[in-house]
Amino acid sequence: MQGPAWEQDIVFIGDIHRQWRHVAQGLAKAERRPRVAVLLGDMECDQPLDVAAAPLLDAGIKVHWIWGNHDYDGGPEMWTNLVDAGRNPRTRQGELNARVTDIGGLRIAGLGGTFRRRVWEPPGPPQLHSRNDLPADMTRLGPDWTEAQRRSMADALAAMAIWPEDVEALSALRADVLVTHEAPSSHPQGVSALDALARRMGARLVIHGHHHVCYRARAEDGLEVQGVGAGWGIGIDGRPWWPGEADRWLGQAPAGWSHLQG
């Protein structure tokens, strides 16, 4: 099945932060179940994602995912629980970062992480372009940094930063929907570089997490954005599959945007 009918079977899930009860309770109360779930980062996997996402997987729901800024908080073990294919045979094909996946005819692209000053803080230019630049950059941290600290910093940045090389890779692709952890400029704390990426890809909708607030916004040129709150399950049309945590304050729409809800 392709097109609009398939779109109604996809749920986008905001920052879970280990609180999978929102997902389990939501599925238990839902009148019907989605076919596909897209996790928008900050799952904080204290166990393999295959185990944590069992409420979805055991219900026959295919899982796709990106990472957020907190998915390395527990260090290498937490990160491995998310990304290691050996630990996650059921979700290993679901990673969306820097790629486009066709889901029932809908092209969904993903960009995990958040902007980090040492790598790239728009609107300024990138300080580093690719993860291969990290070893040389770590030598500039100064004599007070131990080798272990440099390695830890490099691993964290490699995992959680938005990298120009990933944005560049996506810019050459076409997508209908771009899912990000970081927010575009529709959010008062968002970043317009993500708007520009969506437009280059031809995407009509950006769906993001990170700020723990559900809202729908439209730019003057018709680009739409859907923010998804922590633990919420939201459809592509902005309608909730289930609620999560109480929304944080959104604030007024930035210039050039209209908030349609939230």
Side-chain angles (χ1 to χ4, degrees), residues 223-245:
L223 176 66
E224 293 198 2
V225 172
Q226 178 66 54
V228 183
W232 283 73
I234 298 291
I236 200 169
D237 58 0
R239 298 179 182 178
W241 284 81
W242 62 76
E245 296 181 5

Side-chain angles (χ1 to χ4, degrees), residues 4-51:
W6 243 101
E7 292 180 6
Q8 301 308 311
D9 290 326
I10 304 173
V11 60
F12 298 86
I13 305 175
D15 308 37
I16 293 170
H17 291 292
R18 309 188 201 186
Q19 303 303 311
W20 287 89
R21 70 181 188 279
H22 294 305
V23 177
Q25 293 169 0
L27 288 173
K29 295 178 180 179
E31 295 181 0
R32 61 188 182 90
R33 288 179 174 173
R35 299 187 189 189
V36 176
V38 178
L39 311 180
L40 299 175
D42 280 1
M43 286 77 72
E44 296 186 42
C45 291
D46 54 354
Q47 55 188 334
L49 180 60
D50 275 16
V51 177

Side-chain angles (χ1 to χ4, degrees), residues 160-233:
M160 295 185 296
I162 290 178
W163 282 87
E165 63 178 338
D166 291 347
V167 173
E168 186 176 284
L170 286 172
S171 295
L173 304 176
R174 302 289 291 178
D176 302 303
V177 178
L178 173 63
V179 297
T180 63
H181 188 69
E182 184 79 87
S185 68
S186 56
H187 189 280
Q189 299 174 25
V191 184
S192 62
L194 298 181
D195 316 358
L197 174 61
R199 291 182 172 108
R200 286 197 298 271
M201 299 184 73
R204 67 178 190 266
L205 175 65
V206 181
I207 303 178
H208 75 87
H210 189 43
H211 292 289
H212 296 203
V213 60
C214 296
Y215 73 98
R216 190 84 169 195
R218 182 181 295 132
E220 293 171 350
D221 67 354
L223 176 66
E224 293 198 2
V225 172
Q226 178 66 54
V228 183
W232 283 73

Side-chain angles (χ1 to χ4, degrees), residues 5 15 56 61 66-68 97 99 104 120 124-125 153 156 169 189 243 249:
D15 308 37
L56 296 164
I61 300 167
I66 57 174
W67 51 77
N97 186 65
R99 66 185 67 178
W120 184 18
M153 170 69 82
Q189 299 174 25
W249 184 71

